[in-house]
Structure formats: C-alpha cells, structure tokens
C-alpha cells in the first residue's frame, strides 16, 4: 500500500517537472487557445490513467492519486483542460475495471473536477486555493471510502499524508 502510493507520488512529481518544462511559458495564465487547453487536459488525463495503472487494489477499488491531475488541469488550464482530463481519467478507469467502485470513483472525480473549476477559476493560478482544493479532494476521497465494506483507517492516514505531500510538492515546484 505505502509502496504503491509512494510510486504514484514519484510519477506525479516527475510528470510535474516535465509538464512545467514543456509548458513553462503558458503556466502563468489560462488564456491559451482552446486546442492548447485541450492538450494540457489530455496530458493531465493520461497522467491520471497512468496513476490508476500503478495504484493498488483494496476491496475491489483502485487507490491512487488521480485527483491531483484534475486539480493541476483546473489550476493551469481552466475548465476545458479539466473536462478533458476528467473524460480521459473516467474512460481509463472504466476500461481497467468496471464495477460499483468505478462508479463511486467516477462520481468522486466528477465532484472534484466541478469544485476545482469553481474554486480555481481566475486568470492566474492561485496556490493557496489549490492547496484548499487538495484538502477538499482528500475529504471527498475519504467520504468515498466510507462506502467500502471495511473502512481502512491506516489507508486513509497514509493517503492523506502522501496526497498532501504530493500536492504540496507539485504546488511548490511550479
């Protein structure tokens, strides 16, 4: 469990480094052409699917850090990027395994995407709001985990720790 979350964290930080290297000029504003916003969203969506693949299974659920790419898409690309990332992540999750947990996860990622777009709207990225969004996504993840037959307290503590560290690192590295 901890090993897989740490692997997700290293994938996330590596992607963030490459993302900022490729989009350095355009990260400070969200007013890109819609095609470029779509490209940013597709990159974040593929990251989300990649994180799902390297996540771990727990009670028919896949646990990973797929919420953070949604927040990155909203932070640096706006609603077009967020919608593209959401669509790719949901499609990837459904293709990997379709079960009731996938439906819960789709609902959770949808709520996170919607709240991210609303909270992180504006012309320039706001890191304080992004951190608040990260905490809200952890709360939504926790609520989703309550639908599982066994509520894993140790898993939730590890997830909160790694997710907060990862989100904070992504925010600080940009």
């Amino acid at each position: 469990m901890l090993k897989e979350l740490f692997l997700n964290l290293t994938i996330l930080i590596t992607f963030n480094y490459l993302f900022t290297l490729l989009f350095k000029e355009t990260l400070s504003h969200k007013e890109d052409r819609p095609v470029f916003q779509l490209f940013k969203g597709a990159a974040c969506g593929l990251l989300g699917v990649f994180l799902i693949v390297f996540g771990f299974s727990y009670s028919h659920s896949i646990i990973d850090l797929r919420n953070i790419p949604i927040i990155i898409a909203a932070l640096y690309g706006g609603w077009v990027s967020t919608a593209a990332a959401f669509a790719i992540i949901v499609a990837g999750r459904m293709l990997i395994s379709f079960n009731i947990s996938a439906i819960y996860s789709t609902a959770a990622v949808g709520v996170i995407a919607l709240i991210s777009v609303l909270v992180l709207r504006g012309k320039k990225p706001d890191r304080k709001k992004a951190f608040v969004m990260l905490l809200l996504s952890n709360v939504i993840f926790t609520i989703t985990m309550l639908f599982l037959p066994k509520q894993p307290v140790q898993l939730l503590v590890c997830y909160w720790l790694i997710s907060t560290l990862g989100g904070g690192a992504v925010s600080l590295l940009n």
Side-chain angles (χ1 to χ4, degrees):
M1 161 181 66
L2 197 55
K3 182 175 89 174
E4 288 87 355
L5 283 175
F6 186 73
L7 179 61
N8 261 226
L9 180 63
T10 57
I11 292 168
L12 185 66
I13 291 173
T14 302
F15 170 84
N16 186 58
Y17 174 74
L18 295 174
F19 191 78
T20 55
L21 197 65
L22 291 172
F23 303 118
K24 184 180 284 188
E25 300 299 320
T26 61
L27 283 182
S28 60
H29 58 85
K30 297 179 188 177
E31 296 177 355
D32 295 323
R33 293 175 297 158
V35 173
F36 196 62
Q37 289 179 352
L38 197 61
F39 183 71
K40 285 181 185 178
C44 289
L46 290 174
L47 169 64
V49 173
F50 203 60
L51 293 173
I52 292 169
V53 168
F54 286 99
F56 68 96
S57 293
Y58 181 86
S59 184
H60 304 292
S61 296
I62 300 173
I63 310 298
D64 53 60
L65 300 176
R66 79 187 84 157
N67 302 339
I68 296 176
I70 292 286
I71 297 169
I72 292 171
L75 185 63
Y76 296 115
W79 74 269
V80 173
S81 294
T82 307
F86 171 73
I88 291 170
I89 289 171
V90 167
R93 176 61 177 98
M94 295 298 176
L95 288 173
I96 289 170
S97 71
F98 184 77
N99 55 23
I100 192 71
S101 177
I103 294 170
Y104 290 147
S105 123
T106 298
V109 170
V111 169
I112 290 166
L114 183 63
I115 293 173
S116 293
V117 168
L118 294 174
V119 169
L120 299 172
R121 69 181 180 271
K123 295 185 189 249
K124 295 207 178 224
D126 185 345
R127 289 191 174 106
K128 289 179 186 173
K129 286 182 180 178
F131 191 72
V132 168
M133 193 54 235
L134 176 68
L135 295 178
L136 284 173
S137 83
N138 284 349
V139 168
I140 292 167
F141 173 79
T142 302
I143 291 168
T144 305
M145 293 302 288
L146 294 177
F147 289 105
L148 293 178
K150 279 190 319 192
Q151 283 75 38
V153 175
Q154 180 185 8
L155 169 66
L156 288 173
V157 170
C158 289
Y159 184 87
W160 269 77
L161 179 69
I162 300 243
S163 176
T164 306
L165 286 173
V170 165
S171 180
L172 289 175
L173 291 175
N174 287 329

